[in-house]
Amino acid sequence: MRPVRTEGGLTRVRPGFGSADNPLKLSRAIPPGSGPRATLSQQQDNAAEPLASLLLDNSPDADSLGLYVHVPFCAKRCGYCSFNTAPLEDGAMGRYLEALRREIALLGALPWASRIRLATIFFGGGTPSLLDPAEIARLIAACRSGYAVSPDAEITLETNPGTATPARLDAFREAGINRISFGVQSFDDAQLARLGRIHSAARAKDTIRDA
């Protein structure tokens, strides 16, 4: 299979073509008309700069880290929000989760990753509570596969009360979530309406009690 052009002048190559020196499996694209295409191994040798080198050569100083996992989708985008978010469209979540699991695995394959222990995992957004609990469980499993996770790690799910029910909260707990961060913004229904929130003040209070 020929390499597929991606953003940033890099190409994605067939799985298994990475080497110990280049676990990122990235290669630099050759502009059309610039001469014969280099071999995949030559392309991989060039991958150390700039993107691969940034990840390979800049290991964190600390051995205990927190991992933030961004889920950019919302049931409805609030007008005041300045985060990188978008309304959820059909099929978008599945494609994003597949890419997210690949990125977690890619970072976990870096040489310095084996000495890292995750003290916290935070699923933020967006509205990560739109995910099915089974999808959250798979993402947590991907994190545990890529990194050592502390036995007492704090694993947080940012949650919109409008997406939470007692059954879903129980299922998130079973999936591995042990902390909920509720985004309420206000307990005044008039303010919530102006902000474009999808829940009422009563729903927010009920959800907090259910948690």
Side-chain angles (χ1 to χ4, degrees):
M1 180 175 67
R2 295 180 63 185
V4 179
R5 184 69 177 269
T6 61
E7 294 182 3
L10 299 174
T11 59
R12 184 175 61 221
V13 300
R14 188 170 59 198
F17 270 45
S19 65
D21 294 329
N22 181 21
L24 300 179
K25 303 186 180 75
L26 298 175
S27 58
R28 183 170 301 282
I30 298 177
S34 62
R37 179 176 291 276
T39 66
L40 287 174
S41 61
Q42 290 172 325
Q43 293 180 39
Q44 290 166 351
D45 288 341
N46 292 333
E49 57 174 334
L51 177 60
S53 180
L54 180 66
L55 297 172
L56 289 168
D57 299 337
N58 290 277
S59 63
D61 293 330
D63 291 335
S64 180
L65 299 177
L67 178 67
Y68 174 79
V69 181
H70 190 62
V71 180
F73 303 109
C74 298
K76 176 186 176 184
R77 197 177 193 284
C78 299
Y80 63 85
C81 182
S82 61
F83 291 100
N84 181 15
T85 63
L88 180 59
E89 298 178 354
D90 290 344
M93 186 69 83
R95 295 192 299 272
Y96 184 78
L97 292 177
E98 181 183 352
L100 190 55
R101 286 190 291 267
R102 288 201 304 267
E103 183 169 343
I104 291 171
L106 182 148
L107 293 175
L110 292 170
W112 49 260
S114 60
R115 68 173 175 81
I116 296 300
R117 180 176 293 270
L118 296 183
T120 64
I121 301 173
F122 190 102
F123 293 96
T127 309
S129 56
L130 284 173
L131 290 170
D132 289 334
E135 293 171 327
I136 289 290
R138 284 192 287 271
L139 287 176
I140 293 175
C143 293
R144 292 187 183 279
S145 177
Y147 300 94
V149 179
S150 297
D152 60 347
E154 181 183 271
I155 305 179
T156 302
L157 182 71
E158 199 171 61
T159 301
N160 185 315
T163 66
T165 64
R168 283 177 64 81
L169 291 171
D170 287 342
F172 285 134
R173 186 179 294 110
E174 292 178 4
I177 297 297
N178 56 29
R179 179 176 180 270
I180 294 288
S181 174
F182 285 114
V184 176
Q185 312 306 326
S186 175
F187 287 102
D188 182 299
D189 283 331
Q191 291 180 351
L192 289 170
R194 286 196 296 271
L195 292 170
R197 302 295 290 173
I198 64 173
H199 62 83
S200 65
R203 174 67 181 274
K205 293 174 184 177
D206 289 343
T207 304
I208 293 171
R209 281 193 292 266
D210 293 337

